[in-house]
Structures are given as C-alpha cells and as structure tokens.
Amino acid sequence: MHQYSAVAYSCRYYMPCIKRLVAFTSLVSHHHPRPCLSTLPLSSNFHFPSNLNCLLTGNSFFYRMERFWSGSNINKNKAMVEHLQRYGVITSKKTAEVMETIDRALFVPDGTPPYVDSPMAIGYNATISAPHMHAMCLQLLEENLKPGMHALDVGSGTGYLTACFAVMVGPHGRAVGVEHIPELVNFSIKNIEKSAAAPLLKEGSLSVHVGDGRQGWPEFAPYDAIHVGAAASEIPQPLIDQLKPGGRMVIPVGNIFQDLKVIDKNSDGSISVRSETSVRYVPLTSRDAQLRGN
C-alpha cells in the first residue's frame, strides 16, 4: 500500500469553510444569464441544474481574476489565448502554443460560444472545462508531456485536452482518452479528426476509448501524465498504480468542497500530494450515476 506524504497539502487560496459555503450558496441563488469572472465572488467548474444555463468557470472557489473578460467579444482562438496570457493565466510558451494549435471551437457543441472563459454543457450531465482550467492543467503537467511520453486523460469528454496532450507528446508518444459515455467518445473522435491532432489519431499515437476512467487504461501504462476531468471522493488506486515513477497526476478531489490535487510519484514509488487550488467539478462516478445526474 502506498504511503501518502503531502508536500503542500493546504490550499493556497484559503477561506474558512463557512465563508466558502455562504459564497457558494449565494452564487447558486443568483441566476446570472452569462456570468463573467470580473463580477463573481468565486469560480466553478461544477455542473449546475439545466435551468441555470451558465456553468460557472472553474479555477479557484474564491479566486478573483480582476477585470477578467466574459469572452463575449472574443471570436478567435488566438485572441482567447492572448487574453489568458495577458491576465497571467498562461505563463508558459509551450502551453500557449498548444492551445493556439488546438482550436477550442472544434470541441464545443454547435451554437456554443467557444471562447468564453466558462465551462460548457456537452450533454450527459458533463461539461468541457473553462479555458483557464485547461491552461492551468496543461502547465501543471507540462514537464510530463514532453515528446515521447505517455499521457492519460480520464473523462476526456469532447477530446480537447486529449488532443492537446497528443500534440505535446508527439507521434513517438502516446495520448489516451477514456470516457464512459460512448456518444461522447464518438463526438470527440469527430472533433479530433477536424483538428491539428488528426494525423496523430490516424497514425495511432492518439486514441480515445469507452471505459470507466476510474480504472485508468492499463494497455498503455505506465503514464508520465494523468489528468482527471471530474472530482473523485478519493484518489483512485488504479490511477496511482498506472502513474510512472517520476510521473504526475492532476485530479480534483472532494465532494461539496474540492481541491485540485497535484500528485507526484517519486522514484521509489512513494506518493507526494499537494493542493493547487480549490475548484468545482462534476463528480467522477459511474456512467449510470452520471446519466441520472447523481
């Protein structure tokens, strides 16, 4: 059994639990038609009820990006990336390059504004994360997404981050997406086929599979990088087992209150865990529970 040793196990954006609860309750009770980060007391990647068609953004539960943009005036992928750079969200040249290469517009449902900094509903009680969350996760995993490395995207949804991973690890690496909704797997493959990652899909270094992401995808393990796009009540052991020594996993953990955990596997197989920020994600659960909205 692995021993967990926390490197920095406290959230860097601390708020007492009662204030977090009040902030969350207050936010949910106000049905803003299209919120923007400059006006919100907190941000979220949580899937709200369908009558609240806003799906608030997901970086920190209480992290304000001052004067951030709603995205309504952004109609180009490059402009979205430039805004993320301008506001200090993207600080890595490599992350900026891959987000410019993979156009987010190809990975959202028709009629959805692709460059708004907010998660978007993609059906089946699932979402595609906000652009700033994509940027954060890519930067956290960047050193584990070098050419030739293996990456696993759990809850791959519409395929956006899986495609980004594939471009970063290149044709000699391996990028694997796992999603338990077959319709989303089919949708993601069609999206990838229209993107700059299409040759990698055709050549076989990029693949997307129907499966329970909590079990990982052993076929191509061990992985240098694992990203989990839904919140687990605890870190799934199969994912820890499939993480390569020297590898890193980024996973939201928690129920009502969640932290984005950064998990590093040391050379001796021990695990170090730290909290990057507080977030809100849909739960990492079974296919049936997700379809029921549990």
Side-chain angles (χ1 to χ4, degrees), residues 1 15 24 29 35 42 48 52 54 56 69 74 76 105 129 134 146 175 193 195 217 229 248 256 282:
M1 180 177 294
M15 178 184 286
F24 177 66
S29 66
L42 54 88
F48 288 98
L52 184 55
C54 57
L56 309 174
W69 89 107
I74 296 177
K76 297 291 184 183
S129 294
H134 287 148
K146 293 180 178 178
E193 288 174 340
S195 78
W217 198 259
R248 170 172 285 188
I256 295 176
V282 296

Side-chain angles (χ1 to χ4, degrees), residues 92-282:
S92 158
K93 181 180 179 181
K94 187 174 181 180
T95 293
E97 287 175 351
V98 74
M99 289 185 69
E100 286 185 10
T101 300
I102 301 298
D103 191 340
R104 191 171 188 265
L106 301 175
F107 294 86
V108 299
D110 290 342
T112 302
Y115 308 121
V116 173
D117 193 52
S118 171
M120 302 292 176
I122 58 174
Y124 312 98
N125 290 318
T127 63
I128 178 174
S129 294
H132 74 267
M133 276 308 299
H134 287 148
M136 175 180 284
C137 291
L138 286 168
Q139 290 185 150
L140 287 170
L141 291 169
E142 183 173 309
E143 292 303 309
N144 301 88
L145 292 169
K146 293 180 178 178
M149 290 184 170
H150 284 207
L152 175 65
D153 187 17
V154 172
S156 51
T158 65
Y160 177 81
L161 269 187
T162 317
C164 289
F165 292 167
V167 170
M168 293 176 83
V169 302
H172 299 296
R174 167 69 65 168
V176 180
V178 180
E179 169 60 57
H180 58 195
I181 305 295
E183 293 86 351
L184 286 178
V185 170
N186 293 335
F187 182 53
S188 68
I189 290 172
K190 291 178 182 177
N191 297 337
I192 292 167
E193 288 174 340
K194 295 180 287 185
S195 78
L200 300 169
L201 181 69
K202 185 176 180 180
E203 294 162 7
S205 61
L206 164 58
S207 58
V208 186
H209 307 271
V210 177
D212 185 341
R214 296 171 296 181
Q215 302 303 314
W217 198 259
E219 181 181 358
F220 301 111
Y223 296 98
D224 299 277
I226 298 178
H227 167 265
V228 182
S233 56
E234 59 184 21
I235 302 165
Q237 188 63 43
L239 298 183
I240 294 173
D241 294 340
Q242 291 173 37
L243 189 64
K244 185 178 181 179
R248 170 172 285 188
M249 172 163 52
V250 174
I251 177 173
V253 179
N255 296 309
I256 295 176
F257 301 116
Q258 304 164 2
D259 287 325
L260 187 67
K261 302 292 187 184
V262 178
I263 298 154
D264 292 304
K265 180 174 277 191
N266 304 313
S267 57
D268 62 359
S270 63
I271 300 296
S272 300
V273 183
R274 68 176 172 85
S275 293
E276 176 68 16
T277 187
S278 291
V279 291
R280 292 297 293 167
Y281 275 77
V282 296

Side-chain angles (χ1 to χ4, degrees), residues 34-109:
R34 179 61 64 188
C36 66
L37 286 176
S38 60
T39 61
L40 292 179
L42 54 88
S43 59
S44 172
N45 206 33
F46 185 70
H47 178 66
F48 288 98
S50 58
N51 63 342
L52 184 55
N53 186 25
C54 57
L55 295 176
L56 309 174
T57 62
N59 178 358
S60 167
F61 208 15
F62 21 80
Y63 174 49
R64 282 181 198 250
M65 295 181 188
E66 293 184 4
R67 304 296 299 168
F68 214 57
W69 89 107
S70 68
S72 58
N73 62 337
I74 296 177
N75 57 12
K76 297 291 184 183
N77 191 67
K78 184 175 176 62
M80 179 193 76
V81 174
E82 289 172 346
H83 274 275
L84 289 168
Q85 291 177 300
R86 184 176 305 162
Y87 288 95
V89 180
I90 295 178
T91 58
S92 158
K93 181 180 179 181
K94 187 174 181 180
T95 293
E97 287 175 351
V98 74
M99 289 185 69
E100 286 185 10
T101 300
I102 301 298
D103 191 340
R104 191 171 188 265
L106 301 175
F107 294 86
V108 299

